[in-house]
Amino acid sequence: MRKGVRIGCVRGNPEPVGEGLFKSVFRVGPLAVKAYKRYRGRNPAERPWELDARIREAHAKVSFLPRYHGLVVGHLEKGGKRKVVALSFHEYVRPLRYRSVGELGKVLRLILEAADQGYVLDVKMPNFGIKGGRVYYLDELGLGKGVLPPDLREGLAAFLRLLQGKS
């Protein structure tokens, strides 16, 4: 097991594969485990059903997300500190490394497919992965309608509240 990283309700060795403002992502065997730090300005472990509903809603709308297995409240241990978090479980899809024009073309086709369905994606490079030659979008919270993806809009709103001295 990696020193300092443990997911309390998961057997196996969690391998860190991504770290963002709102979640940490780990690979455990064939699964990607996402440990959510914040959702809509609070700890998602307080109201996990809201996060689960949002993830399920995204999966019901589009077919380019990795399979979702569900969400539990558990704990994450990092650097000797234990925190109660919401943990979502997904099929593991390797993040793209953009080694060819062909891979980039597949990403652009997926972005256009989403746009044709009326959706906008948070198009940061680590949000796309590939498995079996198929490109997937890895950030279901970044799928939305309008000009800005919902997770970016929520992040900007939280930053603005911080600047204005509101929590």
Side-chain angles (χ1 to χ4, degrees), residues 61-80:
K61 291 177 180 178
V62 297
S63 63
F64 48 75
L65 298 168
R67 185 172 177 208
Y68 174 59
H69 298 287
L71 184 134
V72 300
V73 173
H75 75 268
L76 179 69
E77 251 179 69
K78 282 172 86 172

Side-chain angles (χ1 to χ4, degrees), residues 48-63:
W49 57 90
E50 290 178 356
L51 178 58
D52 181 61
R54 172 90 176 269
I55 294 170
R56 288 182 189 281
E57 178 184 9
H59 280 264
K61 291 177 180 178
V62 297
S63 63

Side-chain angles (χ1 to χ4, degrees), residues 105-119 121:
K106 287 180 180 182
V107 169
L108 294 175
R109 277 192 289 281
L110 190 142
I111 293 167
L112 290 173
E113 177 187 338
D116 288 345
Q117 295 177 36
Y119 296 103
L121 304 177

Side-chain angles (χ1 to χ4, degrees), residues 6 9 23 30 37 40 49-50 85 88 99 108 127-128 148 155:
R6 191 167 96 70
C9 61
K23 68 180 173 275
K37 303 171 194 173
R40 293 190 173 167
W49 57 90
E50 290 178 356
V85 295
S88 65
R99 293 186 176 159
L108 294 175
N127 286 346
F128 297 91
L148 294 175

Side-chain angles (χ1 to χ4, degrees), residues 118-134:
Y119 296 103
V120 64
L121 304 177
D122 182 357
V123 294
K124 292 183 294 231
M125 289 176 63
N127 286 346
F128 297 91
I130 192 163
K131 184 173 186 176
R134 181 175 175 207

Side-chain angles (χ1 to χ4, degrees), residues 137-152:
Y137 184 62
L138 305 179
D139 182 17
E140 57 277 307
L141 299 185
L143 173 74
K145 300 258 184 187
V147 178
L148 294 175
D151 62 342
L152 179 58

